[in-house]
Amino acid sequence: MAYVLGFWRLCSDMGIAGAFPITGLFSHWQIWIAVGVLLHLAAYSFNRYGRGGDLEIPRFLTFRTLLGRPAQERPTALRPRKVGTR
C-alpha cells in the first residue's frame, strides 16, 4: 500500500494522476517509497523468522564496527587484555 501511495503521489506531481488527498509530511512521494521499502524488509525478515529460520537482518543494513569484528581481526589496542591470569 505504501508503494501505491508513493507512486500515486509521484504520478500526481507529473500530472498523470489526479490530486493526492494527503497533506503534510506524508504528502511527499519519497516518504512513501521509503516506508514501503522498510515494510518490505521487515516482512521479509519476519517471514523467515516465522518459518523457523533465524531472524536475519540483510547484510547491507548492518554496520561493521571495530568492536563487532572477531578477535583475530581486531587491532591489538582493542583486544581484551588478560590481567592476572597464568
Side-chain angles (χ1 to χ4, degrees), residues 23-51:
T23 60
L25 176 67
F26 292 106
S27 68
H28 302 285
W29 66 269
Q30 296 94 338
I31 300 293
W32 286 110
I33 299 297
V35 167
V37 168
L38 291 175
L39 286 172
H40 196 125
L41 290 171
Y44 170 77
S45 294
F46 289 137
N47 188 23
R48 288 183 58 109
Y49 179 70
R51 293 178 185 260

Side-chain angles (χ1 to χ4, degrees), residues 37-70:
V37 168
L38 291 175
L39 286 172
H40 196 125
L41 290 171
Y44 170 77
S45 294
F46 289 137
N47 188 23
R48 288 183 58 109
Y49 179 70
R51 293 178 185 260
D54 293 333
L55 182 59
E56 295 180 13
I57 298 174
R59 187 176 184 140
F60 68 91
L61 292 178
T62 59
F63 300 104
R64 289 193 67 180
T65 62
L66 292 176
L67 299 176
R69 294 181 185 173

